[in-house]
Amino acid sequence: MKITFLGTGTSQGIPIIGSDHPVCKSANPKDKRLRVSVLIEWNGFHYVIDCGPDFRYQMLRSGCSKIDAILFTHEHSDHVMGLDDIRPFYFKQGDISIYAHKRVIKALKRRFDYIFTTKNKYPGAPSLHVNRIKNKAFKLNEEEVIPIKGLHASLEVFGYRFNDFAYLTDMKSVSDKEIEKLKGVKVLVVNALRIQPHHSHFNLEEALAFIERVNPEKAYLTHISHLLGFHDEVEKSLPDNVFLAYDELEILI
């Protein structure tokens, strides 16, 4: 399994438009972060988790030429607003499969009604093969994927476990029952927004405590804001098995 971090930033990305914050002015490429997303290449298939407003550029930058499915964590703009840019994949492949909770599908239908409509549909609009998922395991091309439910403030979101790899973002709390689903995972990705507490995201302290509970071999932090600090400085402060993810980082499992 190959994981490519397409984006590791928070909803505004880094740098933030018009910001004079030192991290936003950093010349280090690792401090420049697009909206959060990952590409998973698994047994010859290509899966993307979330497609935010940077999706087009992320696909060009990664060289990805095929998508077998998109999995959505939740419906916030930084996770869904690139959906229209699946068109080149649709023109080559036909209907694109998406997997999401029924609430997320409902939100996508509101925002992208022209994609979901079946009457007088514009010829250039893409079409989807919609898979509504619940908080139970499902199959992707005969491989099992396990949703991990968490709360983003009061909003339910899904992380996903793929064998030895798990990806969670926009989490503020995860129940003991859901944490049990992560036991034995080798590589864990989890959000760590900033140093100070936040009402709907793990801060760094909470993310590290969560990692300690899950106890993976390695963990990577994502959904990072400029307020976490400079990449190189923060990474020096982390436990030996915890790393800051950065855009275009590739890992093999």
Side-chain angles (χ1 to χ4, degrees):
M1 185 185 296
K2 178 182 176 182
I3 313 298
T4 302
F5 288 85
L6 301 173
T8 56
T10 187
S11 58
Q12 297 181 89
I14 305 174
I16 295 173
I17 295 170
S19 175
D20 289 324
H21 190 281
V23 173
C24 292
K25 297 293 186 180
S26 172
N28 185 350
K30 293 180 181 179
D31 286 321
K32 301 182 188 302
R33 303 180 184 277
L34 300 178
R35 269 60 75 92
V36 67
S37 179
V38 289
L39 170 65
I40 300 170
E41 298 174 58
W42 191 21
N43 294 336
F45 296 98
H46 295 68
Y47 308 116
V48 172
I49 300 181
D50 291 334
C51 60
D54 300 312
F55 179 72
R56 173 184 173 274
Y57 179 60
Q58 289 168 339
M59 292 293 93
L60 290 170
R61 186 169 67 172
S62 69
C64 183
S65 60
K66 181 185 75 163
I67 286 182
D68 294 291
I70 300 170
L71 292 78
F72 288 100
T73 60
H74 63 297
E75 65 269 37
H76 285 171
S77 292
D78 53 323
H79 298 262
V80 305
M81 289 308 292
L83 186 59
D84 184 76
D85 285 323
I86 65 170
R87 285 183 294 155
F89 296 106
Y90 166 70
F91 296 150
K92 290 170 59 177
Q93 302 173 210
D95 292 8
I96 304 298
S97 293
I98 66 169
Y99 292 77
H101 187 277
K102 65 179 181 180
R103 186 199 72 239
V104 178
I105 299 298
K106 185 177 180 180
L108 292 174
K109 286 182 176 181
R110 288 196 302 268
R111 292 189 178 199
F112 300 96
D113 61 312
Y114 63 94
I115 292 177
F116 289 87
T117 188
T118 57
K119 294 182 179 180
N120 300 317
K121 186 167 183 172
Y122 181 69
S127 294
L128 303 171
H129 179 63
V130 176
N131 299 272
R132 293 172 176 83
I133 59 174
K134 299 180 180 180
N135 188 22
K136 62 181 182 179
F138 61 93
K139 293 287 188 177
L140 276 181
N141 296 298
E142 301 308 314
E143 296 286 355
E144 185 177 72
V145 177
I146 301 172
I148 312 296
K149 186 178 74 173
L151 290 179
H152 178 36
S154 60
L155 182 72
E156 290 187 355
V157 299
F158 278 160
Y160 297 100
R161 179 173 181 169
F162 305 75
N163 284 353
D164 292 328
F165 173 73
Y167 179 87
L168 283 69
T169 188
D170 289 55
M171 298 287 181
K172 179 62 178 178
S173 62
V174 183
S175 71
D176 292 344
K177 181 179 178 181
E178 297 299 305
I179 290 174
E180 281 299 313
K181 297 180 183 178
L182 294 168
K183 294 301 183 182
V185 72
K186 292 182 179 178
V187 178
L188 172 69
V189 178
V190 67
N191 55 289
L193 186 72
R194 64 189 192 188
I195 302 297
Q196 295 298 318
H198 188 270
H199 74 281
S200 64
H201 291 273
F202 285 153
N203 68 350
L204 179 59
E205 181 180 4
E206 292 166 332
L208 292 177
F210 181 79
I211 291 166
E212 188 173 354
R213 286 197 65 188
V214 175
N215 193 31
E217 292 180 7
K218 290 184 178 181
Y220 292 84
L221 304 179
T222 194
H223 208 288
I224 294 162
S225 83
H226 62 299
L227 297 176
L228 188 63
F230 293 101
H231 181 281
D232 291 349
E233 293 181 6
V234 175
E235 180 137 288
K236 290 176 184 177
S237 72
L238 299 176
D240 289 343
N241 69 327
V242 182
F243 308 89
L244 279 192
Y246 56 87
D247 289 20
E248 298 187 276
L249 170 65
E250 297 178 355
I251 58 175
L252 295 175
I253 304 172

